[in-house]
């Protein structure tokens, strides 16, 4: 009887939505509104002042389409490299003991702390024709600095930590006895890696790769120094936005910036879906 009484009175009970409102809620709403929502809303409202035809003309200009192709194509290439190399690096850091392991583990986060302009100067110097690495590549006919390949190198550099730091904790939690059980049942090392180790890692690898791709798409500081920034060759979309602002072409910069914003939102939505899939897989 007690249960039936509770069920009958619960739906009619008034809901006080303000009861859960507290100081952390106020700080969160204020902080996110000032830091995120207002700047994004300002860009969208600015784009809304353009007519649809004008917005389409500016966003799909030949030079803009070329920068989209270079930006997203090169970022995808950089993310693919980090997907493989980052997973291998996480594997080495978790499964092997070697001298200076902690130093290497700390260096992985260097792109997070290093100013991107400093990274650009460093990469342009190392990969120039007289640089430490560029001097070996130039005789082979491979030019890195001031080419699209240099853009890819910069994007790989700044997005290195994302795959490593996403896969590393999953590998640490992976039960090693499961691999031993597979070996005892006759599975080879390749079969164990493919059928036992890799499936739990796939959500983390995809999440880290998507984050690395999104980070590479938004990179500016290091790319502007290692690339020649020539339209239709190695000019990326963020630099084109800056060039439009320098030309006092606010409408063009707004249209291209809005396209980048929308694509970034789609990428973040994909990351959230992958993380939800990962939580369901772990559960």
């Amino acid at each position: 009887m007690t249960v039936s009484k509770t069920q009958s009175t619960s739906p009619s009970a008034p809901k006080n939505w303000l009861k859960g409102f507290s100081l952390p809620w106020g700080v969160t709403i204020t902080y996110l509104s000032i830091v995120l929502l207002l700047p994004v809303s300002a860009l969208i409202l600015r784009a809304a002042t353009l007519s649809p035809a004008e917005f389409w003309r500016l966003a799909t200009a030949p030079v803009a389409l070329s920068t989209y192709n270079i930006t997203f194509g090169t970022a995808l290439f950089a993310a693919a490299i980090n997907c493989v190399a980052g997973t291998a690096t996480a594997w080495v850091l978790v499964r092997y003991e070697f001298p200076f392991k902690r130093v290497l583990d700390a260096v992985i986060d260097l792109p997070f702390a290093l100013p991107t302009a400093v990274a650009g100067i460093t990469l342009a110097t190392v990969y120039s024709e007289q640089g430490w690495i560029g001097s070996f590549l130039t005789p082979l006919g491979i030019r890195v600095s001031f080419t699209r390949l240099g853009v890819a190198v910069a994007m790989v550099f700044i997005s290195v930590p994302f795959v490593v730091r996403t896969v590393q904790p999953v590998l640490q939690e992976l039960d090693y006895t499961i691999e031993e059980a597979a070996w005892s049942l006759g599975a080879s090392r390749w079969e164990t890696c493919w059928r036992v180790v890799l499936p739990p890692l796939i959500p983390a690898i995809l999440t880290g790769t998507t984050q690395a791709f999104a980070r590479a798409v938004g990179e500016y500081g290091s790319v502007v120094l290692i690339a020649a920034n020539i339209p239709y060759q190695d000019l990326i979309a963020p630099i084109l936005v800056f060039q439009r602002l320098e030309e006092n072409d606010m409408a063009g910069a707004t249209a291209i910036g809005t396209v980048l914003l929308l694509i970034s939102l789609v990428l973040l939505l994909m990351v959230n879906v992958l993380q939800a899939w990962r939580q369901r897989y772990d559960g």
Side-chain angles (χ1 to χ4, degrees), residues 67-77 148 155 213 217 237 259-260 263-264 267:
T67 58
Y68 301 150
N69 178 34
I70 294 172
T71 302
F72 293 107
T74 311
L76 184 62
F77 174 73
R148 185 171 177 178
M155 288 183 174
F213 176 72
V217 167
V259 172
L260 293 179
I263 295 175
S264 299
L267 292 175

Side-chain angles (χ1 to χ4, degrees), residues 91-107:
W91 178 274
V92 169
L93 289 174
V94 172
R95 293 301 177 90
Y96 294 93
E97 294 294 335
F98 51 89
F100 305 109
K101 177 180 177 179
R102 290 185 179 277
V103 176
L104 178 61
D105 196 17
V107 168

